[in-house]
Amino acid sequence: MTLDIPRIRARVAGLLAEYAIPSAAIGVLHDGELTEFAVGVRNVETREPATTDTVYQCGSMTKTWTALAFMQLVDEGKVGLDEPVRAYLPGFAVADPEASAQVTPRHLLNHTNGIEEAYGDPGEDEDVCARMVENIADAPQVFPPGHTHGYSAALGYAILARILEVHDGTHWDDIMRHRLFDPMGLTSTNSWHEQVDEARAATGHLIRSLEEGPLVTPVRHLPRAFGPGGNLTSTSREVLAMAHVFLNKGTAPNGKRIVSAESIQKMLNSRVPVPDPYMFGPAWALGLIICDWQGETVYATDGSTVGQNARLRILPDSNTALALLTNGGPRESFSHAVFNEILTDLGMATVPDLPAPDTTLNLDLSRYEGVYGRPGARYEVAADDGKLYLTLFLDPMQAAFLHKPDRIRYELLPVSETHFLMPPADPLEDTQAVALYDFTNGSARYLHTNCRVHPRQR
């Protein structure tokens, strides 16, 4: 089957208007054939059109690139996935002595290390990864290593990058260029905003209301601490070059071997369960999310910065990959609608819907009530008139900018004894999923949502 690009382009234009997202760049790699197009503008103030050469911020999709570079070290026999980090960084230490000795690269790659992101202010220089590792000597454990899944936005992959730096004797940005970008022949992918051609760069946008429309973000890029975990910029074409590596047993589109076929299998098949399986997927591999689309295994890597978003789906059984880059959002319902237009044209399985609430469940709501949180995040779960509610506490500055209250209350609708749906509180939101689980002491110990884990505080 072939893609009806005029129809899909028109549909995407309508969705962009509906969701107040300025632009989208879309790429499809199917049976070795690349199709790409862009719709919208890369900046609502200048109205410059987005093109297939427009460069977008990829956010946490960067982690998959860093994982590929790290797996090259594995291929070279220089590191082992299950050896302690201390074997490669002898001074590595966090507050918990047992965790200091136990954390391995595998824990970092699949987000089961449990170290709090307490790395202070490591600055904006090239030595940022070294400073982050130095700064976590007093970092507490959110959970014991390997106990559960809890997404690490910056720290986990910065530690992996530091292992690469010590081995290669240079900084992460140079490592990515030397190990990945240059061998793959990539000319539009960069690891730091100062390397980006501003004449081609998309501008991020935020939205406070559909009536007001998208606003240029006040935060143009993430801090350098997010480098190995979130600072890559790229085009849809070059994002799909990375997907090509997974679809072709470690080989780039130019024929260059990037990692071994064995390493690709390790990345795809080494999995840990995700407590909330519905929003993104039921398991996490080494640098990739695992999804199940009507029985077809799909590998995902996503990313968000302050006003830009990236989505990549890799379907090995169908020899297909889909890339979606936007300068607004994120809205999962938007990306699902775009992907489903493409998948339907290709005669493939579409993105599954969230499950329906189970109205027959009779839960002891007291087991879920409590305050859950981490530094910078606080959730309060309470029962009211036989129903369960979650109150999200927003940062006051964020709330003021978005014209929102600093506390937002959501109803939790049970899907099972541990999983809940959280319907939106306003039209700018999608339904979310929440897991409340680990009843070792009678009450839930953890709240897991948007891949992040939050332990019970009281």
Side-chain angles (χ1 to χ4, degrees):
M1 293 189 177
T2 59
L3 293 173
D4 183 347
I5 296 302
R7 183 192 67 79
I8 296 174
R9 182 189 292 273
R11 174 63 172 145
V12 171
L15 289 167
L16 289 174
E18 178 183 344
Y19 284 87
I21 296 173
S23 75
I26 295 165
V28 181
L29 183 62
H30 180 62
D31 285 338
E33 181 178 344
L34 175 64
T35 303
E36 55 181 340
F37 61 95
V39 184
V41 297
R42 57 188 186 87
N43 184 308
V44 296
E45 295 176 353
T46 66
R47 308 303 298 176
E48 295 164 294
T51 73
T52 54
D53 287 324
T54 298
V55 177
Y56 292 80
Q57 296 174 6
C58 293
S60 287
M61 187 183 289
T62 305
K63 291 178 173 67
T64 310
W65 293 90
T66 301
L68 280 170
F70 193 84
M71 293 306 292
Q72 289 183 347
L73 277 189
V74 176
D75 282 342
E76 294 161 11
K78 305 299 183 182
V79 298
L81 293 174
D82 299 307
E83 295 297 319
V85 167
R86 274 186 172 172
Y88 315 109
L89 303 177
F92 175 79
V94 293
D96 185 326
E98 290 188 6
S100 300
Q102 293 173 0
V103 170
T104 67
R106 192 184 301 274
H107 289 134
L108 302 171
L109 285 161
N110 62 24
H111 300 278
T112 59
N113 63 87
I115 306 169
E116 183 57 79
E117 305 261 315
Y119 51 78
D121 180 5
E124 294 291 303
D125 296 328
E126 287 184 320
D127 64 353
V128 63
C129 294
R131 290 184 177 273
M132 291 172 75
V133 172
E134 292 172 359
N135 290 354
I136 59 172
D138 296 325
Q141 290 298 119
V142 181
F143 54 84
H147 181 70
T148 188
H149 171 274
Y151 187 75
S152 174
L155 179 61
Y157 276 69
I159 298 170
L160 292 167
R162 184 56 187 155
I163 295 173
L164 277 159
E165 289 182 338
V166 169
H167 178 269
D168 285 10
T170 188
H171 297 296
W172 177 74
D173 298 294
D174 294 332
I175 290 168
M176 298 303 284
R177 177 71 50 198
H178 172 72
R179 285 185 171 271
L180 295 178
F181 306 158
D182 286 348
M184 293 175 68
L186 307 182
T187 58
S188 300
T189 302
N190 292 289
S191 58
W192 182 229
H193 70 94
E194 292 180 354
Q195 303 166 342
V196 177
D197 179 359
E198 286 298 320
R200 296 174 56 197
T203 301
H205 298 79
L206 301 176
I207 184 167
R208 297 187 290 208
S209 71
L210 291 172
E211 294 74 24
E212 184 180 29
L215 306 170
V216 169
T217 177
V219 181
R220 294 302 181 101
H221 57 84
L222 295 178
R224 199 159 195 165
F226 285 85
N231 271 341
L232 250 68
T233 56
S234 193
T235 62
S236 59
R237 182 187 313 115
E238 295 197 355
V239 166
L240 287 174
M242 189 245 290
H244 186 284
V245 172
F246 287 97
L247 291 173
N248 291 273
K249 300 181 179 180
T251 303
N254 62 4
K256 178 74 174 181
R257 176 158 296 284
I258 302 304
V259 294
S260 68
E262 181 183 6
S263 279
I264 290 295
Q265 287 305 306
K266 287 178 181 177
M267 293 182 73
L268 300 181
N269 295 327
S270 175
R271 306 175 184 182
V272 295
V274 174
D276 161 26
Y278 298 119
M279 281 307 299
F280 296 98
W284 210 285
L286 303 185
L288 294 158
I289 311 164
I290 311 300
C291 311
D292 182 349
W293 291 1
Q294 282 86 46
E296 180 163 6
T297 299
V298 179
Y299 300 89
T301 175
D302 291 349
S304 298
T305 62
V306 186
Q308 301 198 44
N309 295 279
R311 300 288 183 266
L312 175 64
R313 299 293 179 269
I314 303 171
L315 296 80
D317 291 346
S318 302
N319 196 21
T320 299
L322 313 175
L324 171 63
L325 309 178
T326 70
N327 56 348
R331 291 289 297 276
E332 297 310 317
S333 56
F334 170 80
S335 62
H336 290 180
V338 173
F339 285 152
N340 283 343
E341 290 293 324
I342 297 167
L343 293 163
T344 299
D345 260 18
L346 294 175
M348 295 166 55
T350 54
V351 184
D353 294 328
L354 290 170
D358 187 342
T359 58
T360 67
L361 288 171
N362 184 20
L363 304 178
D364 178 356
L365 302 186
S366 66
R367 303 176 73 204
Y368 308 94
E369 290 185 293
V371 175
Y372 304 81
R374 301 264 297 277
R378 176 184 168 92
Y379 299 87
E380 186 173 298
V381 177
D384 184 6
D385 194 26
K387 297 181 179 180
L388 205 59
Y389 293 89
L390 179 149
T391 299
L392 168 64
F393 291 71
L394 289 180
D395 173 80
M397 291 183 63
Q398 178 189 14
F401 178 81
L402 295 175
H403 296 174
K404 289 186 175 184
D406 60 6
R407 299 183 183 188
I408 304 176
R409 193 187 195 211
Y410 300 88
E411 185 176 358
L412 294 179
L413 306 178
V415 174
S416 69
E417 290 188 356
T418 54
H419 299 112
F420 299 82
L421 298 182
M422 191 167 74
D426 70 47
L428 299 178
E429 298 177 348
D430 292 326
T431 297
Q432 302 292 309
V434 175
L436 289 156
Y437 65 105
D438 193 343
F439 297 92
T440 303
N441 298 318
S443 298
R445 293 178 62 192
Y446 300 104
L447 182 151
H448 193 283
T449 188
N450 193 31
C451 296
R452 274 77 169 173
V453 68
H454 306 85
R456 174 183 289 274
Q457 296 180 331
R458 57 181 173 86

